[in-house]
Amino acid sequence: LFVLFNWSFIELIAMPTHESSNVAHVSFYKTSEFIGIILLTFALTLELWFPWPLLSGTPDTILKMGGVALLVIGIVILRMVHGELNRLGQPHSPGIPTTKLVKSGPFRWSRNPTYTAIIFIIVPALGLLLRSTWILLLLPISPTVFYFVLIQEEEIYLKELFRGEWEDYCANTPRWL
């Protein structure tokens, strides 16, 4: 599924694995793609072992329409994020140093628009499309996992790099939405 969003697995594997203070993350496993795949694999494994159909009385058509609508919204947001980063010449990968604090485009509404789209839009879309209660149960877990594995280090990195500008941005822009 993540291939649909044009994320490069080669870039993921090619990330440096050495310690470096000039990037947010230095390990390939500290990426949204990797964390998302692990969480979805966990949920789908539970679905296989302990099937728990979502809204068993609801027609498939309604769930699929809702899932497709959410998926389209999520993909549009991710494309907007990538477009804004490209427009400003900033990297998509947390393993590449950034030179500018991006506060425009989707970053006006959320400090983490990529993670917000994945967790709160794409995960529910997959839950509806696959009729999986287990995938929907990732909603309360995912923000915590993303925060401790990804966001915490990214925020430390950005605070050290952009200091007062970062603090002003945090004061005016929510982490999620």
Side-chain angles (χ1 to χ4, degrees):
L1 176 67
F2 288 96
V3 174
L4 291 174
F5 310 124
N6 295 323
W7 288 326
S8 169
F9 233 37
I10 294 170
E11 180 181 309
L12 190 108
I13 293 169
M15 280 183 67
T17 56
H18 62 282
E19 290 302 316
S20 173
S21 61
N22 66 346
V23 296
H25 300 296
V26 294
S27 302
F28 79 93
Y29 61 87
K30 290 194 175 184
T31 61
S32 58
E33 297 91 343
F34 187 81
I35 301 302
I37 288 169
I38 295 298
L39 289 170
L40 284 173
T41 300
F42 176 70
L44 291 172
T45 301
L46 286 172
E47 187 67 40
L48 288 172
W49 288 347
F50 310 103
W52 189 4
L54 176 69
L55 303 169
S56 54
T58 307
D60 274 347
T61 307
I62 292 173
L63 293 177
K64 289 188 190 307
M65 286 173 35
V68 168
L70 285 173
L71 195 57
V72 168
I73 291 167
I75 291 170
V76 166
I77 291 171
L78 292 174
R79 298 307 296 166
M80 289 171 60
V81 168
H82 284 239
E84 192 64 16
L85 292 172
N86 287 340
R87 187 179 74 78
L88 297 172
Q90 295 305 299
H92 299 213
S93 170
I96 299 172
T98 189
T99 57
K100 179 178 179 149
L101 182 59
V102 179
K103 300 182 284 187
S104 55
F107 294 91
R108 288 183 307 233
W109 307 303
S110 169
R111 295 194 312 258
N112 299 289
T114 299
Y115 304 152
T116 299
I118 292 169
I119 294 169
F120 298 109
I121 300 173
I122 294 175
V123 167
L126 293 175
L128 292 174
L129 287 169
L130 299 174
R131 267 195 116 102
S132 172
T133 302
W134 291 112
I135 290 177
L136 289 180
L137 288 177
L138 290 176
L139 284 173
I141 298 166
S142 297
T144 304
V145 171
F146 272 66
Y147 176 77
F148 284 108
V149 177
L150 301 169
I151 295 170
Q152 192 172 32
E153 284 183 34
E154 291 172 7
E155 289 187 347
I156 290 169
Y157 166 74
L158 293 168
K159 183 177 181 180
E160 288 174 3
L161 190 61
F162 298 110
R163 304 204 183 278
E165 185 181 8
W166 171 253
E167 290 172 7
D168 290 343
Y169 180 57
C170 289
N172 296 307
T173 310
R175 177 175 288 131
W176 301 107
L177 200 57

